[in-house]
Amino acid sequence: SNFNEGEYKKVGNMSILPVKTTARGPAPPSPDGNDIVEEALVTFKANVFFKNFEMKGDADRVLCYLTLWIQDCLVHLQKINSKVEAGKKLTNEANANFAIPGDASFVLSGLYHPPAANQKDNMRAYLTQLRLETANRFVERVYKD
């Protein structure tokens, strides 16, 4: 990720990166609009073809998580034809109860450290914020008027 070099707060072993969003959460606002959500959307097509992905920093874990979330969004939208319906569906999915690092059902538990007990809510809020913003931008790209 382009954000591996910066100094950011962390939750578990994920960087809390700046995001241009209206969704509430712990991510600071992005000063220039360049954020990890945009990087994930732009690089998605190339990243899904990698058989192996070397984690070079904590921002890469965020990028990897968002790549999997975008793939999940594609699955959820397979049979949806309208932009409004797609937005509702992905908003519901983004806010749904989902596994975080440390949960038994978290898919990539070997790559992510669980958050400290007092940081679980912060991690869930951060991932929800990222999921919502990614879903909103994804719908805008898939369902162009």
Side-chain angles (χ1 to χ4, degrees):
S1 170
N2 295 327
F3 295 93
N4 278 329
E5 301 302 318
E7 291 294 320
Y8 304 101
K9 291 182 181 178
K10 305 218 184 301
V11 61
N13 61 345
M14 294 175 73
S15 296
I16 299 180
L17 302 169
V19 179
K20 181 181 177 188
T21 185
T22 57
R24 292 180 34 181
S30 174
D32 60 3
N34 182 23
D35 64 11
I36 192 69
V37 172
E38 193 62 27
E39 182 177 351
L41 289 166
V42 167
T43 62
F44 173 76
K45 194 184 279 187
N47 285 343
V48 295
F49 288 114
F50 283 115
K51 184 176 181 180
N52 298 315
F53 186 82
E54 181 184 356
M55 299 287 184
K56 295 181 180 177
D58 293 339
D60 281 344
R61 286 181 182 80
V62 180
L63 182 62
C64 184
Y65 181 86
L66 289 177
T67 299
L68 292 176
W69 168 239
I70 293 166
Q71 176 62 39
D72 200 27
C73 290
L74 282 170
V75 171
H76 290 300
L77 297 183
Q78 283 180 352
K79 297 179 181 176
I80 296 179
N81 296 322
S82 99
K83 184 177 182 178
V84 172
E85 190 179 343
K88 288 179 184 177
K89 175 70 173 166
L90 291 186
T91 297
N92 288 338
E93 292 298 326
N95 283 310
N97 191 18
F98 56 90
I100 63 170
D103 293 347
S105 60
F106 187 72
V107 179
L108 299 171
S109 58
L111 299 173
Y112 294 82
H113 297 157
N118 64 347
Q119 287 291 305
K120 284 185 178 185
D121 289 343
N122 195 38
M123 179 173 272
R124 184 168 302 283
Y126 178 54
L127 294 178
T128 299
Q129 184 182 25
L130 290 172
R131 288 162 63 99
L132 282 167
E133 184 57 33
T134 304
N136 289 338
R137 293 190 207 176
F138 186 70
V139 167
E140 289 300 319
R141 288 174 186 214
V142 172
Y143 297 90
K144 293 186 179 182
D145 292 334

